[in-house]
Every structure is written in C-alpha cells, then in structure tokens.
C-alpha cells in the first residue's frame, strides 16, 4: 500500500503507518495541489488536510485510490459524492476534535461577553489612559442566559454540557430532532431556527458546511436576533454572510461576535478588525498539541483499520 500525505507534521502520530506501509510526506512543508495531482496516480491512500481540495479533477487522476483519510472532522474540502461514486472510502477524525472545539466556543462566548481580549488590548495599548472603574468595562452575563446551538452533533452536544455547567439554558436547532431521551439527558429544547434566533442571548454555529448551510446566518437571520445577542462561529466561515454580519454589528443589530473562521479564507473582512465587540481567532478550534497528535493517531487508525480491517474506521457515507 502506498500512502501520500499532503502535509508534514506530528510525525510521531503517524509512526504506525510508517512502520507498516510505504509513506510519502512532503518533508517539512505542504505539497501543492499541482504536486499532488502529479503524484496521485501512483498511490492507494491520500491523507488530506481540511483546507486541501480533493475534487473531481484530482480523483480522476487517481486510478489506484481506495481511501481519502481527512485530518479533520469537517470534509467540505472533499467531493465526497464523487469519491463514493468511484468506490473510494472517505474518513474523518471526529473524536479528538470535539472537546477542543467546544472549549474554544465556550471561550469565545466568555471572551466576547466579558470583553476579556478587549480589556487586555486596551490595557496594553492605552496603558494609563484606559478608564478603569467599576462601571467602565461592563460585560454581559452568561449564567442564566439562553444559548441557542445550531447543529447538535458531537461538538454541539459537548458545548451544551459546558454551557449547562455554567448555568445556561440551552435551546437547539438541527436537521433532525434528538430523541426525547437524549434531549432529557442534555436538558435541551428543540426549536425552529427562527425561534432560536429570536430567543437566544448567544447563538453558536456547530453545523458542517454543506450547500444547505451556506449563509445559514445572513441579513434576514441577523434581523431575527436580539440587539443584545452574541454570535459564535467555530464551524466554517461560509456559514455566515460576513458582509451582512459586519453591517449588523456596525448598526448595533446584534451585540457582538466571536469568530474562529471566516468566509473568505484565512482572514476576516478588514471592517471586523475595527470593531471592539468582536473576538477573532485564526481557526484554532483544534490547535492544541494534544488534539493535533490525537488527530494524527485517528488518521493512522482510519488508514490501518481500512486496510487491515482490525479496528473501527470513521467512514463518511454521504456528503
Ligand atoms: C477543523 O476545522 C476540523 O474540521 O476538524
């Protein structure tokens, strides 16, 4: 079996693959799309990163390809329908991604609500000119407030548990309603998207990026939200119409936003940088050393499980 990696990092997490198979890494960098296109005809397995496009053109150049093992829970970078049509298995890494992403979502909620980064920024840059007093840096409460989670998969549920521990009430909207048993265990209530948007003090997006979730939050949805509401996105940038969000924030239609992902690539729209009530992080949902290593191990397990049939594989059946 010949395995091709588009990236090179956390090699200790891939040791079990290197021991067993012929593995090619780009050595200290990423392979470009053109380099992968040239090499792929010779390989049985492609280990891709969440921002590497695995499209029809690439799949058509891969007569030997049996498995695409993605390093991520999200797989919007892969044309899964086409891969499945060609008999190629696609896998992802949901396990190690869940806790760190839910933790970051909670962190962004707290940061935006309590103005942590804003205060830090002001203290550093304005030093003594910063107004410090008992009413100067008032934030928003989390305890007793309502969190609306859109996308109640693994990460949504993990965030729900954390929010409940903070004393929040949680409502959710999802493609399918959870069983009564699960709703009771999680202590959550299913509502329509409109109801969620109009009731929630915090709205967190935890849905995958699909054609159906593109601009899940646009001008219309932002108009439904409370002027005091805070929007959190740790999922994928295009779930939010970023131009509409900028306008809503500038006009005070919503109170704030905590964003780990952006619509137009790695960087937010420049207008967002000028807003104090926005906390921005560069797609760090799973950026802990522990999570990165565990994700590498999960990719290795998916590859070995697929080849040897000796362990479970996290397989994606349809887009
Ligand atoms: C990270 O963004 C992931 O999809 O795992």
């Amino acid at each position: 079996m010949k395995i091709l990696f588009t990236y090179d990092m956390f090699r200790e997490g891939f040791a079990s693959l290197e021991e067993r198979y012929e593995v090619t890494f780009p050595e200290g960098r990423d392979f470009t799309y053109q380099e992968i296109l040239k090499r792929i005809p010779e390989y049985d397995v492609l280990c891709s990163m969440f921002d590497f496009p695995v499209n029809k053109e690439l799949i058509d150049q891969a007569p030997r390809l049996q498995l695409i093992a993605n390093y991520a829970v999200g797989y919007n970078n892969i044309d899964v329908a086409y891969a499945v049509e060609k008999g190629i298995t696609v896998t992802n890494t949901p396990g190690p991604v869940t806790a760190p992403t839910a933790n970051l979502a909670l962190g962004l909620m707290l940061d935006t609500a309590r103005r942590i980064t804003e205060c830090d920024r002001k203290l550093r840059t304005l030093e003594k000119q910063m107004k410090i007093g008992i009413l100067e840096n008032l934030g928003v409460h989390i305890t007793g407030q309502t969190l609306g989670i859109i996308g109640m998969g693994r990460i949504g549920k993990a965030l729900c548990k954390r929010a409940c521990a903070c004393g929040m009430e949680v409502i959710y909207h999802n493609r399918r309603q959870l069983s009564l048993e699960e709703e009771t265990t999680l202590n959550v209530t299913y509502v329509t998207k409109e109801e969620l948007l109009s009731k929630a003090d915090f709205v967190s997006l935890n849905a995958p990026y699909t054609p159906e979730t593109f601009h899940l939050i646009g001008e219309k949805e932002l108009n439904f939200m409370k002027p005091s509401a805070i929007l959190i996105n740790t999922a994928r940038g295009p779930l939010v119409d970023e131009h509409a969000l900028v306008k809503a924030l500038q006009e005070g239609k919503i109170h704030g936003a905590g964003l780990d992902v952006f619509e137009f690539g790695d960087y937010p729209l420049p207008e967002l940088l000028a807003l104090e009530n926005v906390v921005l992080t560069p797609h760090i949902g799973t950026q802990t050393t522990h999570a990165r290593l565990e994700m590498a191990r999960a990719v290795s397990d998916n590859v070995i499980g697929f080849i040897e049939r000796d362990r479970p594989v996290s397989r994606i059946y349809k887009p």
Side-chain angles (χ1 to χ4, degrees):
M1 279 282 174
K2 288 184 71 177
I3 301 172
L4 178 61
F5 273 76
T6 67
Y7 55 93
D8 183 16
M9 56 166 205
F10 283 97
R11 286 280 271 273
E12 63 269 47
F14 301 112
S16 54
L17 292 183
E18 294 198 83
E19 279 157 19
R20 288 175 165 85
Y21 315 111
E22 199 182 322
V23 185
T24 306
F25 287 98
E27 301 299 336
R29 64 184 184 100
D30 290 347
F31 274 133
T32 63
Y33 176 74
Q34 290 305 327
E35 285 171 328
I36 292 289
L37 204 59
K38 237 170 106 187
R39 286 171 179 263
I40 198 70
E42 315 239 310
Y43 287 86
D44 307 285
V45 175
L46 176 67
C47 292
S48 52
M49 180 57 67
F50 53 77
D51 56 358
F52 188 93
V54 186
N55 53 25
K56 280 198 179 75
E57 179 189 46
L58 185 60
I59 292 169
D60 280 341
Q61 291 301 309
R64 289 176 53 161
L65 196 62
Q66 296 176 44
L67 173 67
I68 301 163
N70 213 35
Y71 185 102
V73 66
Y75 45 83
N76 51 290
N77 58 311
I78 301 170
D79 190 335
V80 177
Y82 195 60
V84 169
E85 191 186 310
K86 293 278 172 186
I88 299 166
T89 296
V90 181
T91 60
N92 67 344
T93 60
V97 164
T98 304
T101 310
N103 289 345
L104 184 75
L106 180 65
L108 287 175
M109 280 166 59
L110 284 163
D111 192 337
T112 315
R114 300 300 306 275
R115 305 170 64 179
I116 299 171
T117 305
E118 183 192 339
C119 285
D120 177 278
R121 188 166 53 236
K122 284 182 178 165
L123 271 174
R124 285 165 199 265
T125 53
L126 300 178
E127 291 179 21
K128 294 213 166 49
Q129 287 134 10
M130 182 188 177
K131 285 190 182 157
I132 297 178
I134 56 168
L135 294 177
E136 298 301 341
N137 297 290
L138 284 177
V140 177
H141 218 46
I142 282 217
T143 304
Q145 302 286 89
T146 299
L147 167 65
I149 298 179
I150 303 186
M152 203 48 137
R154 289 182 183 83
I155 298 170
K157 287 176 194 163
L159 176 60
C160 173
K161 288 181 193 155
R162 285 154 175 75
C164 288
C166 291
M168 298 187 84
E169 188 190 322
V170 183
I171 54 179
Y172 78 101
H173 184 71
N174 197 38
R175 264 177 310 185
R176 75 173 177 88
Q177 187 170 354
L178 302 180
S179 67
L180 186 60
E181 199 185 339
E182 257 190 306
E183 286 187 347
T184 310
T185 311
L186 287 166
N187 196 16
V188 284
T189 309
Y190 181 81
V191 289
T192 63
K193 187 172 135 188
E194 287 69 24
E195 202 178 339
L196 181 144
L197 293 170
S198 58
K199 279 192 175 158
D201 301 298
F202 294 81
V203 174
S204 175
L205 306 182
N206 298 102
Y209 175 31
T210 65
E212 290 74 44
T213 61
F214 175 73
H215 284 190
L216 185 71
I217 302 292
E219 191 183 344
K220 184 175 125 220
E221 289 74 18
L222 289 159
N223 281 335
F224 274 118
M225 289 172 69
K226 294 182 185 177
S228 56
I230 290 175
L231 177 70
I232 304 295
N233 188 6
T234 54
R236 287 291 185 268
L239 267 60
V240 176
D241 177 344
E242 206 166 293
H243 285 288
L245 176 64
V246 166
K247 200 160 162 275
L249 287 162
Q250 284 171 340
E251 292 174 358
K253 291 238 167 83
I254 67 168
H255 177 72
L259 309 171
D260 186 44
V261 283
F262 311 110
E263 183 173 1
F264 305 104
D266 291 340
Y267 294 94
L269 285 175
E271 292 91 328
L272 286 170
L273 303 178
L275 296 170
E276 293 286 21
N277 50 341
V278 175
V279 178
L280 305 163
T281 51
H283 201 165
I284 59 166
T286 51
Q287 281 205 46
T288 68
T289 309
H290 182 85
R292 285 279 174 260
L293 189 56
E294 287 303 308
M295 287 169 79
R297 293 196 175 118
V299 168
S300 301
D301 280 340
N302 280 335
V303 175
I304 298 169
F306 173 79
I307 297 171
E308 315 294 342
R309 315 261 171 222
D310 63 348
R311 66 195 76 185
V313 165
S314 176
R315 186 180 183 140
I316 297 152
Y317 287 95
K318 53 181 182 339

